[in-house]
Amino acid sequence: MDKILVTLMLIIGGVVCCMVVINAVLPAISQSSGAIADASGKIDDRIRSKIEIIEMSDNVNDIYVWIKNIGASRIQAINTSDIFFGLEGNFARIPYSATETTKPYWNYAIENGTVWGPTGTVKITIYLESAPSGSYYFKIVLPNGISDQDIYSASIGEQWKISLSHLFALPY
């Protein structure tokens, strides 16, 4: 009889220990799998995203930049992108604003659709306090970290677009 009670107590103790271990380990495993799935989704988004600056021009105090989505995924939250612009060696982050505000600021318009999907083009307008002259650095960084950059030169009488990614200059 004593052996039966001891065996029964050991079985109950073993079951309780197993339940404690399962309750401690199972949440950690599910959190890890959630983190791995989240990281996998972000990596997939970065792999499928790619943009290219296709043209830059100016009009009085404004700079226009057309950027094409040459990737396979839709780019969301364009207004949370970072725009860096200014004279070479003296550029700064330009804030986004949907309405007219203190210059400099930028906003955007999707040229061919309502979303910036694959093959879509976005026109970025940078509103400056004064007309540009000289060489300007432009860089856009999307919310997922994908970026592209160019140097734009505006000089008296002739404008040049110098592409850092293609290493050639074309008269505008």
Side-chain angles (χ1 to χ4, degrees):
M1 184 79 166
D2 287 341
K3 289 182 182 184
I4 294 174
L5 286 175
V6 169
T7 304
L8 188 59
M9 298 279 279
L10 287 173
I11 290 173
I12 292 172
V15 169
V16 169
C17 286
C18 286
M19 293 303 292
V20 168
V21 168
I22 288 172
N23 285 335
V25 172
L26 197 57
I29 291 172
S30 67
Q31 285 178 351
S32 296
S33 66
I36 290 170
D38 186 42
S40 175
K42 288 180 181 179
I43 289 170
D44 181 53
D45 183 43
R46 285 186 57 111
I47 289 171
R48 295 170 45 91
S49 297
K50 189 170 183 181
I51 58 171
E52 184 174 340
I53 298 168
I54 55 175
E55 186 62 47
M56 295 177 75
S57 69
D58 64 85
N59 181 16
V60 188
N61 294 355
D62 303 335
I63 299 288
Y64 303 114
V65 183
W66 286 269
I67 304 168
K68 188 149 192 88
N69 179 355
I70 58 174
S73 68
R74 183 176 141 193
I75 298 171
Q76 300 181 25
I78 303 164
N79 60 331
T80 61
S81 299
D82 290 320
I83 300 284
F84 296 93
F85 186 79
L87 289 169
E88 285 185 278
N90 189 23
F91 56 88
R93 183 182 177 277
I94 307 293
Y96 169 81
S97 179
T99 59
E100 195 167 319
T101 184
T102 305
K103 294 179 180 180
Y105 69 95
W106 69 275
N107 61 28
Y108 71 94
I110 298 173
E111 294 281 296
N112 48 352
T114 57
V115 296
W116 196 11
T119 72
T121 302
V122 164
K123 178 183 176 186
I124 304 276
T125 304
I126 302 173
Y127 299 93
L128 303 173
E129 295 174 1
S130 60
S133 65
S135 293
Y136 285 84
Y137 174 77
F138 174 85
K139 181 173 186 175
I140 181 169
V141 181
L142 299 178
N144 64 0
I146 300 301
S147 66
D148 196 13
Q149 60 191 7
D150 259 338
I151 294 176
Y152 175 74
S153 292
S155 54
I156 298 173
E158 192 167 342
Q159 299 171 353
W160 289 77
K161 178 181 182 266
I162 303 169
S163 176
L164 295 175
S165 58
H166 298 97
L167 300 175
F168 65 88
L170 296 173
Y172 178 72

